[in-house]
Amino acid sequence: MSDATRKEGRERGEEWWATEIIEMRPGLIRLRGYPIEDLIGRVSFPAMIWLMLRGELPSEAQAALLGTALGAAVDHGPQAPSIAIARIAATCGVGINSAMASAINVLGDVHGGAGEQALEFFGAIAAAMEAGVPLEAAAADHAARFLAEGGYLPGFGHRFHPIDPRAPRLLALAREAAAAGTVSGRFAAIAEAVEAAVAHAKGKRIPLNIDGATAVIYGELGFPPPLTRGLFVLSRSVGILAHAWEQSQKPDRNKGPLPREWLWAYQGAPERRLPEA
Ligand SMILES: CC(C)(COP(=O)(O)OP(=O)(O)OC[C@H]1O[C@@H](n2cnc3c(N)ncnc32)[C@H](O)[C@@H]1OP(=O)(O)O)[C@@H](O)C(=O)NCCC(=O)NCCS
């Protein structure tokens, strides 16, 4: 900004954090234009999330579907790195916010954050379909290219579940929502077509997982890919908080990832000594 156009004094302060989300001054709080006292008691937590992220209130059906996806991913137990880290951190003498932040920091491309890439991938298939490519061909072509380049399709595969029990239920609810006209159902169809294409290409089923299934719903509801990851973080934060809190109520101190009688395999140089001085 040139010196000539640069605002001064109070105007410069107002411009510094200009936002369309909230107005606040003494005695007044408005979110996206709605007085907070009108929202309190009338707007559910999922609807509040939608209002904050999208600027408008959702329909009841949209808010319910968002709440369904958020509820599905809250926890996967202490084998999940995010949950294990929350519990380990809680034994280290840090506050609950620190335990939560430590856990949230590992929700990346491979654990909890894969929905972002999954929705980008589904979006590329949707774009091919808009250009006239039939669903099955678009899914097979994009899956084959992805497998050739990257190997791991985001939103598919699970270390424990031959079929992730959350995914078919979420897809069924996405289809119900499509039948009711709440969403189009296109990302649900794309995810199923990708699963079929990968099964055909690899000769075994690599099932849609929770990151992929929630990405389907968030995409159906019109959220862009990066918010898919953000919404997963909001959802998993519930389990992270529950585990950090439960662990903090126990007497354990400084708890490592394994019982102390189980040590790791040392694979480095054999014992050696420094030369005599
Ligand atoms: C979640 C994940 C780490 C689980 O991995 P895993 O079950 O331990 O899988 P492995 O790395 O042992 O792979 C087992 C086989 O399945 C295949 N596979 C697993 N996930 C795959 C995927 N997403 N796309 C393609 N192939 C996959 C592997 O290529 C391997 O095949 P091979 O036996 O022919 O070599 C893995 O599926 C993955 O990275 N998925 C993508 C990221 C993701 O969605 N994360 C969210 C998890 S809830």
Side-chain angles (χ1 to χ4, degrees), residues 19 21 25 70 107 142 160 162 166 190 196 210 218 224 243 249 274:
T19 172
I21 298 173
R25 45 184 185 270
L70 288 167
L107 293 173
H142 279 73
F160 293 100
R166 299 161 292 188
I190 287 172
I210 184 67
Y218 298 144
H243 282 273
Q249 301 307 294
L274 290 171

Side-chain angles (χ1 to χ4, degrees), residues 110 114 147 151-159 202 204 206 209 211:
V110 185
L147 290 175
Y152 285 83
L153 273 154
F156 292 84
H158 206 284
R159 191 144 286 165
K202 286 192 74 92
K204 64 175 173 183
I206 311 285
N209 60 38
D211 297 36

Side-chain angles (χ1 to χ4, degrees), residues 6-248:
R6 189 160 150 169
K7 306 252 170 46
E8 295 297 335
R10 187 194 182 107
E11 270 195 324
R12 179 157 153 72
E14 286 172 353
E15 187 183 68
W16 192 257
W17 292 122
T19 172
E20 295 177 13
I21 298 173
I22 183 168
E23 266 180 286
M24 194 282 296
R25 45 184 185 270
L28 180 146
I29 300 171
R30 286 190 203 127
L31 298 180
R32 300 289 193 180
Y34 293 107
I36 191 73
E37 58 274 26
D38 284 6
L39 295 169
I40 292 171
R42 291 179 62 190
V43 172
S44 67
F45 189 43
M48 191 66 102
I49 293 169
W50 184 298
L51 175 66
M52 292 296 284
L53 295 176
R54 308 277 285 267
E56 297 299 331
L57 283 164
S59 68
E60 273 186 31
Q62 287 169 324
L65 190 58
L66 175 59
T68 295
L70 288 167
V74 292
D75 192 10
H76 200 247
Q79 255 291 343
S82 51
I83 300 295
I85 288 167
R87 297 196 74 113
I88 290 173
T91 71
C92 294
V94 300
I96 210 157
N97 56 320
S98 181
M100 290 182 75
S102 303
I104 287 167
N105 271 330
V106 298
L107 293 173
D109 294 352
V110 185
H111 171 46
E116 180 175 348
Q117 283 80 15
L119 189 53
E120 275 165 8
F121 180 65
F122 299 154
I125 294 172
M129 290 166 65
E130 274 160 27
V133 184
L135 169 62
E136 280 73 22
D141 176 45
H142 279 73
R145 266 192 269 160
F146 201 99
L147 290 175
E149 286 165 19
Y152 285 83
L153 273 154
F156 292 84
H158 206 284
R159 191 144 286 165
F160 293 100
H161 305 299
I163 294 178
D164 186 330
R166 299 161 292 188
R169 176 77 179 133
L170 286 169
L171 279 202
L173 290 169
R175 274 193 298 271
E176 265 179 36
T182 307
V183 297
S184 75
R186 68 185 177 140
F187 288 121
I190 287 172
E192 281 174 340
V194 170
E195 201 179 72
V198 175
H200 187 255
K202 286 192 74 92
K204 64 175 173 183
R205 189 168 180 192
I206 311 285
L208 187 68
N209 60 38
I210 184 67
D211 297 36
T214 49
V216 163
I217 290 191
Y218 298 144
E220 292 280 358
L221 289 171
F223 288 94
L227 286 184
T228 293
R229 180 173 298 204
L231 289 167
F232 194 102
V233 170
L234 286 182
S235 163
R236 182 52 61 89
S237 293
V238 175
I240 287 170
L241 174 58
H243 282 273
W245 174 244
E246 183 187 67
Q247 183 61 54
S248 72

